[in-house]
Amino acid sequence: VERTRAAQAAALIATTLNHPWLLPEVEESLAGLDLGDGPLAQCRAGALAWLAGGHVLDSAGLMDHLAQVGLAEVCTRLLRDAGLPAAARPDAQPGEALDAWWHFFGLLRGEAELRADQAAARQALAETNDAAAQRRLIRLTQALEALRRGEWNEGGGPEAAETSPAGANTTP
């Protein structure tokens, strides 16, 4: 189980690093995720610090920042993992990457935490009527519903979206 959670967390962080354009949408959820104190948490902290700097949201700029703060080796090692799902790779389609990000987030959070996140997002939307709050509520609701329906397999992929680990037979 711990290996599965570690693989799911690695896929989430790799997706974030290869697709930093999604950071504005997932920032709050990413910041609140328990990743412990290891390399994944360091990569997340570096990415969130870079986002706060108002940079152009591209992977090369993010990797330059991570190199400047001493995280190049750990993040590069993560991105070279042959077991990453296709959606975590740099050539993944934007929709596929975003769906996979929320998928792995949902698996890592679990049902009780997703319900709490959903309630907080619903409250934020009621207070702000902000489009970003609405998108977050929609994504959290979708993640919770998919988790409840059992659409996500333990290996980390929503079966319908075919985000299997590298090397598996998948349909692009």
Side-chain angles (χ1 to χ4, degrees), residues 8 21 45 49 73 83 89 97 137-139 161:
Q8 293 164 348
W21 52 265
E73 184 179 326
R89 297 186 196 134
L137 176 59
I138 290 168
R139 283 296 186 165

mmCIF file with all atom_site columns, all heavy atoms in Angstrom, residues 8 21 45 49 73 83 89 97 137-139 161:
data_model
loop_
_atom_site.group_PDB
_atom_site.id
_atom_site.type_symbol
_atom_site.label_atom_id
_atom_site.label_alt_id
_atom_site.label_comp_id
_atom_site.label_asym_id
_atom_site.label_entity_id
_atom_site.label_seq_id
_atom_site.pdbx_PDB_ins_code
_atom_site.Cartn_x
_atom_site.Cartn_y
_atom_site.Cartn_z
_atom_site.occupancy
_atom_site.B_iso_or_equiv
_atom_site.pdbx_formal_charge
_atom_site.auth_seq_id
_atom_site.auth_comp_id
_atom_site.auth_asym_id
_atom_site.auth_atom_id
_atom_site.pdbx_PDB_model_num
ATOM 1  N N   . GLN A 1 8   ? 1.721   6.895  -6.642  1.00 0.00 ? 8   GLN A N   1
ATOM 2  C CA  . GLN A 1 8   ? 0.668   7.867  -6.954  1.00 0.00 ? 8   GLN A CA  1
ATOM 3  C C   . GLN A 1 8   ? 1.161   9.292  -6.700  1.00 0.00 ? 8   GLN A C   1
ATOM 4  O O   . GLN A 1 8   ? 0.922   10.190 -7.509  1.00 0.00 ? 8   GLN A O   1
ATOM 5  C CB  . GLN A 1 8   ? -0.585  7.570  -6.127  1.00 0.00 ? 8   GLN A CB  1
ATOM 6  C CG  . GLN A 1 8   ? -1.251  6.275  -6.514  1.00 0.00 ? 8   GLN A CG  1
ATOM 7  C CD  . GLN A 1 8   ? -2.243  5.778  -5.477  1.00 0.00 ? 8   GLN A CD  1
ATOM 8  O OE1 . GLN A 1 8   ? -2.293  6.263  -4.350  1.00 0.00 ? 8   GLN A OE1 1
ATOM 9  N NE2 . GLN A 1 8   ? -3.044  4.800  -5.873  1.00 0.00 ? 8   GLN A NE2 1
ATOM 10 N N   . TRP A 1 21  ? 1.622   24.703 -16.152 1.00 0.00 ? 21  TRP A N   1
ATOM 11 C CA  . TRP A 1 21  ? 0.493   25.568 -16.485 1.00 0.00 ? 21  TRP A CA  1
ATOM 12 C C   . TRP A 1 21  ? -0.730  25.226 -15.640 1.00 0.00 ? 21  TRP A C   1
ATOM 13 O O   . TRP A 1 21  ? -1.620  26.055 -15.473 1.00 0.00 ? 21  TRP A O   1
ATOM 14 C CB  . TRP A 1 21  ? 0.159   25.474 -17.977 1.00 0.00 ? 21  TRP A CB  1
ATOM 15 C CG  . TRP A 1 21  ? -0.027  24.062 -18.430 1.00 0.00 ? 21  TRP A CG  1
ATOM 16 C CD1 . TRP A 1 21  ? 0.907   23.241 -18.996 1.00 0.00 ? 21  TRP A CD1 1
ATOM 17 C CD2 . TRP A 1 21  ? -1.218  23.264 -18.297 1.00 0.00 ? 21  TRP A CD2 1
ATOM 18 N NE1 . TRP A 1 21  ? 0.381   22.001 -19.234 1.00 0.00 ? 21  TRP A NE1 1
ATOM 19 C CE2 . TRP A 1 21  ? -0.931  21.979 -18.812 1.00 0.00 ? 21  TRP A CE2 1
ATOM 20 C CE3 . TRP A 1 21  ? -2.492  23.514 -17.802 1.00 0.00 ? 21  TRP A CE3 1
ATOM 21 C CZ2 . TRP A 1 21  ? -1.860  20.956 -18.851 1.00 0.00 ? 21  TRP A CZ2 1
ATOM 22 C CZ3 . TRP A 1 21  ? -3.426  22.485 -17.831 1.00 0.00 ? 21  TRP A CZ3 1
ATOM 23 C CH2 . TRP A 1 21  ? -3.105  21.222 -18.354 1.00 0.00 ? 21  TRP A CH2 1
ATOM 24 N N   . ALA A 1 45  ? 7.396   22.021 -2.912  1.00 0.00 ? 45  ALA A N   1
ATOM 25 C CA  . ALA A 1 45  ? 7.718   23.327 -2.328  1.00 0.00 ? 45  ALA A CA  1
ATOM 26 C C   . ALA A 1 45  ? 8.423   24.213 -3.338  1.00 0.00 ? 45  ALA A C   1
ATOM 27 O O   . ALA A 1 45  ? 8.130   25.411 -3.448  1.00 0.00 ? 45  ALA A O   1
ATOM 28 C CB  . ALA A 1 45  ? 8.573   23.146 -1.070  1.00 0.00 ? 45  ALA A CB  1
ATOM 29 N N   . ALA A 1 49  ? 6.867   27.697 -4.752  1.00 0.00 ? 49  ALA A N   1
ATOM 30 C CA  . ALA A 1 49  ? 7.643   28.934 -4.600  1.00 0.00 ? 49  ALA A CA  1
ATOM 31 C C   . ALA A 1 49  ? 7.831   29.609 -5.953  1.00 0.00 ? 49  ALA A C   1
ATOM 32 O O   . ALA A 1 49  ? 7.738   30.831 -6.080  1.00 0.00 ? 49  ALA A O   1
ATOM 33 C CB  . ALA A 1 49  ? 8.999   28.631 -3.948  1.00 0.00 ? 49  ALA A CB  1
ATOM 34 N N   . GLU A 1 73  ? 18.547  17.655 -9.236  1.00 0.00 ? 73  GLU A N   1
ATOM 35 C CA  . GLU A 1 73  ? 18.817  16.219 -9.267  1.00 0.00 ? 73  GLU A CA  1
ATOM 36 C C   . GLU A 1 73  ? 17.620  15.402 -8.801  1.00 0.00 ? 73  GLU A C   1
ATOM 37 O O   . GLU A 1 73  ? 17.219  14.442 -9.458  1.00 0.00 ? 73  GLU A O   1
ATOM 38 C CB  . GLU A 1 73  ? 20.030  15.895 -8.397  1.00 0.00 ? 73  GLU A CB  1
ATOM 39 C CG  . GLU A 1 73  ? 20.429  14.429 -8.459  1.00 0.00 ? 73  GLU A CG  1
ATOM 40 C CD  . GLU A 1 73  ? 21.644  14.120 -7.603  1.00 0.00 ? 73  GLU A CD  1
ATOM 41 O OE1 . GLU A 1 73  ? 22.531  14.979 -7.481  1.00 0.00 ? 73  GLU A OE1 1
ATOM 42 O OE2 . GLU A 1 73  ? 21.686  13.003 -7.062  1.00 0.00 ? 73  GLU A OE2 1
ATOM 43 N N   . GLY A 1 83  ? 8.252   4.203  -14.713 1.00 0.00 ? 83  GLY A N   1
ATOM 44 C CA  . GLY A 1 83  ? 6.935   3.749  -14.304 1.00 0.00 ? 83  GLY A CA  1
ATOM 45 C C   . GLY A 1 83  ? 5.866   4.823  -14.280 1.00 0.00 ? 83  GLY A C   1
ATOM 46 O O   . GLY A 1 83  ? 4.727   4.560  -13.914 1.00 0.00 ? 83  GLY A O   1
ATOM 47 N N   . ARG A 1 89  ? 3.842   12.456 -18.486 1.00 0.00 ? 89  ARG A N   1
ATOM 48 C CA  . ARG A 1 89  ? 4.960   12.760 -19.395 1.00 0.00 ? 89  ARG A CA  1
ATOM 49 C C   . ARG A 1 89  ? 4.759   14.122 -20.056 1.00 0.00 ? 89  ARG A C   1
ATOM 50 O O   . ARG A 1 89  ? 3.632   14.605 -20.195 1.00 0.00 ? 89  ARG A O   1
ATOM 51 C CB  . ARG A 1 89  ? 5.060   11.670 -20.456 1.00 0.00 ? 89  ARG A CB  1
ATOM 52 C CG  . ARG A 1 89  ? 5.386   10.328 -19.849 1.00 0.00 ? 89  ARG A CG  1
ATOM 53 C CD  . ARG A 1 89  ? 5.621   9.300  -20.948 1.00 0.00 ? 89  ARG A CD  1
ATOM 54 N NE  . ARG A 1 89  ? 5.558   7.973  -20.366 1.00 0.00 ? 89  ARG A NE  1
ATOM 55 C CZ  . ARG A 1 89  ? 4.889   6.961  -20.891 1.00 0.00 ? 89  ARG A CZ  1
ATOM 56 N NH1 . ARG A 1 89  ? 4.251   7.102  -22.035 1.00 0.00 ? 89  ARG A NH1 1
ATOM 57 N NH2 . ARG A 1 89  ? 4.879   5.788  -20.299 1.00 0.00 ? 89  ARG A NH2 1
ATOM 58 N N   . ALA A 1 97  ? -3.408  15.434 -18.873 1.00 0.00 ? 97  ALA A N   1
ATOM 59 C CA  . ALA A 1 97  ? -2.559  15.760 -17.725 1.00 0.00 ? 97  ALA A CA  1
ATOM 60 C C   . ALA A 1 97  ? -3.396  16.289 -16.562 1.00 0.00 ? 97  ALA A C   1
ATOM 61 O O   . ALA A 1 97  ? -3.194  15.886 -15.405 1.00 0.00 ? 97  ALA A O   1
ATOM 62 C CB  . ALA A 1 97  ? -1.495  16.781 -18.127 1.00 0.00 ? 97  ALA A CB  1
ATOM 63 N N   . LEU A 1 137 ? -14.310 23.243 -7.118  1.00 0.00 ? 137 LEU A N   1
ATOM 64 C CA  . LEU A 1 137 ? -15.442 22.480 -6.607  1.00 0.00 ? 137 LEU A CA  1
ATOM 65 C C   . LEU A 1 137 ? -15.857 21.393 -7.598  1.00 0.00 ? 137 LEU A C   1
ATOM 66 O O   . LEU A 1 137 ? -16.104 20.243 -7.215  1.00 0.00 ? 137 LEU A O   1
ATOM 67 C CB  . LEU A 1 137 ? -16.627 23.406 -6.299  1.00 0.00 ? 137 LEU A CB  1
ATOM 68 C CG  . LEU A 1 137 ? -17.907 22.701 -5.835  1.00 0.00 ? 137 LEU A CG  1
ATOM 69 C CD1 . LEU A 1 137 ? -17.664 21.884 -4.576  1.00 0.00 ? 137 LEU A CD1 1
ATOM 70 C CD2 . LEU A 1 137 ? -19.014 23.731 -5.623  1.00 0.00 ? 137 LEU A CD2 1
ATOM 71 N N   . ILE A 1 138 ? -15.894 21.723 -8.873  1.00 0.00 ? 138 ILE A N   1
ATOM 72 C CA  . ILE A 1 138 ? -16.262 20.744 -9.897  1.00 0.00 ? 138 ILE A CA  1
ATOM 73 C C   . ILE A 1 138 ? -15.261 19.592 -9.910  1.00 0.00 ? 138 ILE A C   1
ATOM 74 O O   . ILE A 1 138 ? -15.643 18.417 -9.915  1.00 0.00 ? 138 ILE A O   1
ATOM 75 C CB  . ILE A 1 138 ? -16.362 21.413 -11.291 1.00 0.00 ? 138 ILE A CB  1
ATOM 76 C CG1 . ILE A 1 138 ? -17.591 22.324 -11.341 1.00 0.00 ? 138 ILE A CG1 1
ATOM 77 C CG2 . ILE A 1 138 ? -16.395 20.360 -12.404 1.00 0.00 ? 138 ILE A CG2 1
ATOM 78 C CD1 . ILE A 1 138 ? -17.620 23.244 -12.545 1.00 0.00 ? 138 ILE A CD1 1
ATOM 79 N N   . ARG A 1 139 ? -13.972 19.901 -9.910  1.00 0.00 ? 139 ARG A N   1
ATOM 80 C CA  . ARG A 1 139 ? -12.935 18.862 -9.952  1.00 0.00 ? 139 ARG A CA  1
ATOM 81 C C   . ARG A 1 139 ? -12.974 17.988 -8.702  1.00 0.00 ? 139 ARG A C   1
ATOM 82 O O   . ARG A 1 139 ? -12.834 16.767 -8.784  1.00 0.00 ? 139 ARG A O   1
ATOM 83 C CB  . ARG A 1 139 ? -11.547 19.491 -10.105 1.00 0.00 ? 139 ARG A CB  1
ATOM 84 C CG  . ARG A 1 139 ? -11.254 19.950 -11.503 1.00 0.00 ? 139 ARG A CG  1
ATOM 85 C CD  . ARG A 1 139 ? -11.224 18.765 -12.425 1.00 0.00 ? 139 ARG A CD  1
ATOM 86 N NE  . ARG A 1 139 ? -10.814 19.166 -13.746 1.00 0.00 ? 139 ARG A NE  1
ATOM 87 C CZ  . ARG A 1 139 ? -10.436 18.325 -14.673 1.00 0.00 ? 139 ARG A CZ  1
ATOM 88 N NH1 . ARG A 1 139 ? -10.405 17.044 -14.441 1.00 0.00 ? 139 ARG A NH1 1
ATOM 89 N NH2 . ARG A 1 139 ? -10.101 18.747 -15.854 1.00 0.00 ? 139 ARG A NH2 1
ATOM 90 N N   . ALA A 1 161 ? -9.972  6.346  -18.687 1.00 0.00 ? 161 ALA A N   1
ATOM 91 C CA  . ALA A 1 161 ? -9.055  7.323  -19.272 1.00 0.00 ? 161 ALA A CA  1
ATOM 92 C C   . ALA A 1 161 ? -7.757  6.686  -19.721 1.00 0.00 ? 161 ALA A C   1
ATOM 93 O O   . ALA A 1 161 ? -6.933  7.323  -20.355 1.00 0.00 ? 161 ALA A O   1
ATOM 94 C CB  . ALA A 1 161 ? -8.765  8.443  -18.281 1.00 0.00 ? 161 ALA A CB  1
#
